[in-house]
Amino acid sequence: MNETLQTDVLIIGNGIAGGTAALELARRGVRSLLISKGADESATNTWLAQGGIAALSEEESPDVFKQDIIRSGDGINHPPAVDQVVSLSRELVERILIEKLQVPFSTKNGKFDLAREGAHSTRRVLNVKDMTGRVIQQHLDRAVRREPNITMLYRHQAIDLLACPHHSTNPLRQYDEPRVVGAYVLNLDSGRVWRVFARHIILATGGLSSIFLHSTNPPHAVGNGIAMAQRAGARLANLEYVQFHPTSLYQKGDEKPFLISEAVRGEGAKLVNRKGDFFMSRYSDQADLAPRDEVSRAIYEEMIRHGDDYVLLDLASFAKIAIEERFPTITEHCRSQGLDITARPIPVVPAAHYSCGGVLVDLHGRASLEGLYAVGEVSCTGVHGANRLASVSLLEGMVWGARAAEDIAPRRKESVEPWLVEEIPPWRYPPQEEEPDPALIWQDMVTIRYTMWNYAGIIRTNRRLDRARSDLDYLRHRILKFYQKVAVTAAIIDLRDSVQTSLLVVEAARHNQKSRGAHFMAPNP
């Protein structure tokens, strides 16, 4: 069986970054293969984004927006990247989201009803109430399906990037410059692994927050793209800066995590501990509108100080808007949990939310390996520095998706050389393939998530990080032996990538002793 495909561009991931790249390539006549390990368009972080997408308004100076981003990033943002995301924000939002995708952003009196979120100095966030990401993803998916130049494959998961000379059987290739020429891709329905060759590969695989016990991300957001890029030899950066969202809904049991949007505090909600004290003014001059890292640590400190499992977010007492109309999704979900947010405060806890670091890329999304691009949360553009400003993630993904397409399009006639296809072998299945034991996978994933939460979470110490490295390194050896013997599945790929990504985060944190933004080092207790 010839399990081989070739395409102009392979895009791994179908959120706003990958989808934008595919549409912008199609607009220029470039064919792409877009794959997702999810069963439908809902399996992305884009789908879960509630708050909105920030864009430069006509009334404000670009410098104000830039300063908000840099202040949140604790001053280590890459200035050219910040300039690019702000300068292109209005143009791309209008052309792609409003004109092409026709996203129905909320309006009031004939104008966009812009929201203000934490650490923003003004209202500049376009939104579709509290379901912005879901609506954008739905419109994006419809547009992708209509494009003849885009082939969309759900339930296909990338296992590894095809790298030359690493995967080549020709020893003379060791003298060539390293480059990426495709990926091994698993069809999750058939269990077969295909070689997919492309001259240009775009990683758009999302983040890594589900390597932590408490996360706002889908459970499969475990840093697959970061792990693949590292194995291929690409440069990574800023992995210690994992942002914890201050306000996920506190729920007992195995309920799926649910985000309480930053926009709730933007509309006046205040944090209060269970003793009734409104505490944020003790931690920040910006009080409840402080950057996420400051709010997360403040909540954590209050929980530790008082021995509580959560704090409360009081919207009902302070809102000047119609709560059910502005936040229908949050209202409905909380009501399903027996909580009326129009009358009572919301119990909240911090949860891992966003990776500010990732595969290091330039202003066009080019990684350090020839042929490889990274866009969206999997990348490190330098926009976010040490901590991300609310509602800039969707914007960054769209901007770098468009820029990557712009860079690739002039070279669309380049193709993978026929001899290279012959030199890279098909996937090697284990000679006596075993079925993976789900109990072993589940236990190992639980161990990883507890280790990362307790030792490498909101507040870190050298002692905790040393223990995390030791425990995870031991676990990694066991997982790799397990991986080599069993049939390859989505669960076993995610397990392998989870432990690798966790170690990368821990090592980055150990080597950075300075507390900044989302990375906070405390003295050993």
Side-chain angles (χ1 to χ4, degrees):
M1 184 184 298
N2 182 24
E3 297 174 324
T4 303
L5 290 174
Q6 291 199 47
T7 183
D8 293 340
V9 183
L10 170 64
I11 304 173
I12 305 171
N14 67 312
I16 190 170
T20 296
L23 288 172
E24 289 293 284
L25 286 166
R27 185 168 73 92
R28 294 171 169 86
V30 182
R31 295 180 302 115
S32 65
L33 174 63
L34 182 61
I35 66 170
S36 167
K37 63 179 179 179
D40 56 37
E41 73 272 18
S42 68
T44 67
N45 271 339
T46 298
W47 179 274
L48 296 178
Q50 292 178 355
I53 182 167
L56 185 68
S57 67
E58 293 181 1
E59 293 78 17
E60 73 168 317
S61 162
D63 290 338
V64 175
F65 192 1
K66 292 174 189 177
Q67 284 307 309
D68 284 353
I69 293 173
I70 292 170
R71 189 182 305 111
S72 287
D74 213 353
I76 65 164
N77 316 67
H78 185 41
V82 176
D83 289 344
Q84 174 166 285
V85 81
V86 170
S87 64
L88 293 179
S89 62
R90 187 189 308 157
E91 172 196 337
L92 292 182
V93 164
E94 289 178 353
R95 179 169 66 78
I96 296 174
L97 298 184
I98 297 172
E99 295 173 9
K100 182 174 180 61
L101 300 186
Q102 298 184 345
V103 175
F105 289 115
S106 299
T107 58
K108 187 176 182 180
N109 300 324
K111 295 183 178 181
F112 289 120
D113 188 13
L114 301 177
R116 182 183 180 187
E117 298 189 359
H120 284 269
S121 59
T122 188
R123 289 181 175 270
R124 62 166 72 93
V125 180
L126 292 111
N127 62 87
V128 187
K129 301 186 184 300
D130 61 351
M131 48 190 166
T132 309
R134 182 193 308 179
V135 174
I136 288 175
Q137 186 70 59
Q138 288 170 334
H139 284 250
L140 191 65
D141 188 68
R142 288 177 201 145
V144 164
R145 290 176 183 273
R146 288 195 298 265
E147 280 289 351
N149 279 325
I150 303 173
T151 301
M152 177 73 226
L153 294 178
Y154 286 108
R155 291 190 54 76
H156 282 72
Q157 180 165 1
I159 305 172
D160 262 319
L161 297 173
L162 297 178
C164 185
H166 176 69
H167 285 102
S168 176
T169 56
N170 185 345
L172 296 180
R173 298 294 166 228
Q174 66 183 311
Y175 304 112
D176 296 344
E177 285 296 311
R179 58 181 166 130
V180 175
V181 294
Y184 286 118
V185 175
L186 172 66
N187 181 323
L188 295 176
D189 293 319
S190 70
R192 303 299 297 177
V193 178
W194 287 66
R195 293 178 305 163
V196 179
F197 289 96
R199 188 69 182 191
H200 310 283
I201 296 85
I202 301 177
L203 288 174
T205 50
L208 53 73
S209 290
S210 287
I211 62 175
F212 292 88
L213 180 63
H214 299 293
S215 166
T216 63
N217 288 193
H220 58 258
V222 294
N224 299 115
I226 290 168
M228 285 190 290
Q230 196 264 346
R231 288 193 295 269
R235 287 180 64 192
L236 309 175
N238 287 357
L239 285 174
E240 65 268 41
Y241 300 115
V242 179
Q243 183 185 79
F244 286 77
H245 198 287
T247 53
S248 71
L249 180 65
Y250 174 75
Q251 302 172 99
K252 292 183 178 180
D254 295 327
E255 293 288 336
K256 289 183 178 180
F258 185 80
L259 182 71
I260 305 298
S261 170
E262 193 103 43
V264 173
R265 283 184 291 121
E267 296 294 352
K270 297 183 184 297
L271 287 160
V272 56
N273 62 32
R274 295 180 70 186
K275 293 184 179 297
D277 298 327
F278 294 94
F279 57 83
M280 274 309 302
S281 60
R282 296 202 307 268
Y283 294 91
S284 172
D285 292 340
Q286 294 175 274
D288 292 272
L289 292 178
R292 288 175 175 178
D293 61 303
E294 296 180 26
V295 181
S296 293
R297 284 196 297 274
I299 293 172
Y300 185 84
E301 294 283 0
E302 291 292 312
M303 290 164 56
I304 294 296
R305 178 180 299 171
H306 299 292
D308 292 331
D309 293 331
Y310 59 89
V311 298
L312 297 166
L313 182 63
D314 189 352
L315 176 63
S317 301
F318 300 99
K320 296 179 181 178
I321 41 91
I323 293 174
E324 290 188 61
E325 181 181 340
R326 175 67 178 88
F327 301 113
T329 305
I330 295 173
T331 303
E332 181 182 346
H333 182 87
C334 288
R335 190 170 286 146
S336 74
Q337 303 296 311
L339 178 64
D340 181 2
I341 70 170
T342 65
R344 293 168 49 200
I346 308 165
V348 294
V349 292
H353 183 58
Y354 189 87
S355 172
C356 298
V359 181
L360 187 63
V361 298
D362 66 10
L363 296 180
H364 283 94
R366 291 179 295 224
S368 59
L369 284 175
E370 177 67 27
L372 182 64
Y373 294 73
V375 296
E377 191 175 350
V378 69
S379 70
C380 178
T381 65
V383 164
H384 308 303
N387 191 29
R388 175 175 68 85
L389 179 66
S391 290
V392 175
S393 56
L394 293 178
L395 176 63
E396 180 204 36
M398 181 184 65
V399 169
W400 262 260
R403 291 285 279 164
E406 179 185 302
D407 190 64
I408 290 169
R411 294 179 285 156
R412 71 180 113 183
K413 293 183 180 178
E414 297 176 7
S415 60
V416 175
E417 299 88 337
W419 50 261
L420 193 55
V421 176
E422 296 300 320
E423 290 177 3
I424 293 181
W427 179 256
R428 296 186 183 93
Y429 297 91
Q432 293 181 321
E433 204 168 58
E434 304 173 12
E435 285 299 314
D437 185 339
L440 295 177
I441 295 174
W442 181 85
Q443 179 60 41
D444 285 348
M445 283 300 304
V446 167
T447 300
I448 291 167
R449 285 168 172 158
Y450 268 99
T451 299
M452 292 301 291
W453 180 259
N454 289 323
Y455 299 156
I458 296 172
I459 295 179
R460 298 158 172 169
T461 69
N462 284 317
R463 190 173 296 157
R464 292 174 188 173
L465 292 171
D466 287 345
R467 174 66 68 86
R469 181 178 65 165
S470 176
D471 291 355
L472 290 168
D473 194 49
Y474 172 71
L475 188 59
R476 180 177 65 90
H477 288 291
R478 288 170 42 195
I479 288 171
L480 288 178
K481 286 184 179 179
F482 184 40
Y483 170 79
Q484 290 163 2
K485 294 178 181 178
V486 300
V488 63
T489 64
I492 197 70
I493 296 168
D494 285 352
L495 178 62
R496 176 199 60 169
D497 290 350
S498 292
V499 74
Q500 181 181 345
T501 305
S502 296
L503 278 164
L504 289 169
V505 171
V506 167
E507 287 296 337
R510 286 181 72 253
H511 283 93
N512 185 356
Q513 293 293 304
K514 184 173 178 58
S515 294
R516 277 195 186 98
H519 171 56
F520 187 81
M521 291 291 291
N524 287 324

